[in-house]
Amino acid sequence: MRPRDYLFGVIGVALLITYISIGNRFSPVLLPGGTIPPTPPRPTATVSAPRIPGTIVFTLRGDVYTLRDGGYINVTSEGRNLAPSLSSDGATLVFARTETIDGKRTVDGQTAPALLHYTDIVRKQPTGGTETLVLTGLRQKSPSGFHLVAYHDDPVLSPDGTKLAVVTDNGDGDGSNLEIYDAKGTNGAARLLNTLSSGSDLADPAWSPDGKTIAVTSYTLGVPRILLVPVDGKAATPQKVSADGEPYRPQFSPDGRFLIFTLRGPQGGNDVHVVEVSTGRDIALTSDGKSWNGVFSPDAAHVAFLHEQNGVIDLYAMELGTALTQAVPPKPAVKLTRGEGIDGESRPWWGR
């Protein structure tokens, strides 16, 4: 070994010892005390849970889970599923699934290979079983590789189960469309019945109980606001919300009198609120800044929502009592899941 190599080796060992010493002295300052517990594995068998009425569906690490009769279990296994919702009777589940296809795109005047993403809308029973492809985002498959694809999101069945509201982004930079399809479609070719909004920036559709209105989040003006969109094609109207903040992700109560929604506060953080549709009267159900995506139970006696604690998102349920009518605080929320890490971007849905 050359003297220079030996010298460098000695210096390297000395530096390593020094770094270790410094790390041992300062690690309590640089790192939080204790260790973060590992995330539990994704459940593949039924997990026991507090018993609640009806059925709740939610997404956990890209798969749809059903909670019913004191337990929850996955009904998909691809890891590419999102935005589940249930029919009013709880008998039909619809959700979006992300797909990809090898294709081509033109970038800066040059043709380049590209992996194109799109979503399909799938229907199945919440207990599992056979899936039916209702609507595909692969609009046109071209031999040239320049396929036409679309991103369908937030599929929601009408109260009578015959129609499907979907937000569609065609990837053309012109915003999204609120579209109504025949819910009984098969082979990915559901019939388009109506386009209620074209080129807007909408999300989170939810039908009113009478099937005449769809509540959505509108980002057209930049900040979110709640719009009520008539199904007959008349002009949409903003929902009055008296609370200070940015409201989004609405859903009607079973009687149509209230909307539950998430409010992003002026100082940040999210909480679950309810607004009386006719008056704009606000009722705050949470105030921790870490709760969002609320939904009503079919009997309006409970709400479910997502809540984050120590970096882990779980599903919670809360008994309302007279909180909406007499300003009496609701009962404390009960955790329904066990820290497996629920997907925070998809709202749960509650059916019979």
Side-chain angles (χ1 to χ4, degrees):
M1 178 182 293
R2 291 181 296 177
R4 186 177 64 178
D5 295 336
Y6 179 80
L7 178 60
F8 286 165
V10 172
I11 293 173
V13 171
L15 288 174
L16 178 62
I17 294 173
T18 302
Y19 291 153
I20 292 174
S21 175
I22 293 174
N24 289 335
R25 290 176 59 192
F26 290 98
S27 59
V29 177
L30 301 177
L31 300 175
T35 58
I36 299 175
T39 302
R42 183 172 61 182
T44 56
T46 302
V47 179
S48 62
R51 187 172 293 270
I52 51 93
T55 301
I56 300 179
V57 292
F58 58 94
T59 53
L60 191 160
R61 302 188 206 170
D63 278 307
V64 179
Y65 280 71
T66 300
L67 189 153
R68 183 182 179 88
D69 297 330
Y72 56 94
I73 191 167
N74 60 311
V75 293
T76 68
S77 57
E78 298 80 12
R80 296 179 282 108
N81 304 291
L82 65 156
S85 66
L86 284 170
S87 59
S88 298
D89 60 6
T92 304
L93 166 69
V94 291
F95 56 93
R97 175 175 292 153
T98 302
E99 303 286 1
T100 58
I101 186 172
D102 290 325
K104 296 178 181 179
R105 281 290 182 261
T106 300
V107 181
D108 296 330
Q110 301 293 321
T111 299
L115 188 63
L116 307 180
H117 298 268
Y118 61 95
T119 53
D120 291 338
I121 303 300
V122 180
R123 180 178 69 239
K124 70 187 307 181
Q125 293 181 339
T127 53
T130 303
E131 295 184 350
T132 300
L133 179 60
V134 178
L135 182 63
T136 182
L138 183 56
R139 294 288 182 85
Q140 181 178 330
K141 188 174 181 180
S142 172
S144 68
F146 287 93
H147 314 302
L148 297 180
V149 295
Y151 201 89
H152 301 299
D153 201 5
D154 295 322
V156 183
L157 289 163
S158 62
D160 62 6
T162 64
K163 302 179 185 68
L164 187 70
V166 178
V167 174
T168 299
D169 186 340
N170 293 311
D172 52 12
D174 290 335
S176 58
N177 302 334
L178 177 59
E179 300 173 334
I180 308 297
Y181 287 86
D182 176 8
K184 303 302 181 181
T186 59
N187 299 319
R191 182 167 58 98
L192 178 63
L193 302 176
N194 197 6
T195 300
L196 296 182
S197 178
S198 180
S200 301
D201 194 357
L202 306 180
D204 317 319
W207 294 81
S208 63
D210 60 9
K212 295 181 179 180
T213 305
I214 298 177
V216 298
T217 307
S218 170
Y219 295 90
T220 306
L221 300 180
V223 297
R225 59 178 181 152
I226 297 174
L227 290 183
L228 304 180
V229 183
V231 177
D232 61 9
K234 294 180 181 178
T237 58
Q239 170 61 50
K240 180 182 178 182
V241 176
S242 59
D244 188 17
E246 300 176 351
Y248 65 100
R249 293 238 165 115
Q251 192 214 38
F252 281 98
S253 61
D255 61 3
R257 181 181 172 185
F258 298 96
L259 281 168
I260 190 170
F261 64 98
T262 302
L263 185 75
R264 183 180 297 116
Q267 306 303 319
N270 296 282
D271 278 296
V272 180
H273 283 237
V274 171
V275 62
E276 189 172 35
V277 174
S278 61
T279 65
R281 178 173 63 91
D282 179 76
I283 304 104
L285 298 182
T286 71
S287 58
D288 49 60
K290 297 182 178 181
S291 302
W292 67 99
N293 289 4
V295 292
F296 280 103
S297 63
D299 61 2
H302 301 77
V303 297
F305 57 93
L306 304 184
H307 174 74
E308 180 270 323
Q309 187 173 14
N310 298 325
V312 179
I313 300 171
D314 275 295
L315 178 68
Y316 284 71
M318 173 189 291
E319 186 175 347
L320 290 174
T322 58
L324 303 187
T325 56
Q326 298 180 19
V328 177
K331 293 185 177 181
V334 176
K335 186 166 72 170
L336 301 179
T337 53
R338 295 187 172 184
E340 298 95 347
I342 290 181
D343 299 344
E345 67 273 16
S346 290
R347 56 182 169 179
W349 208 267
W350 200 332
R352 290 189 174 86

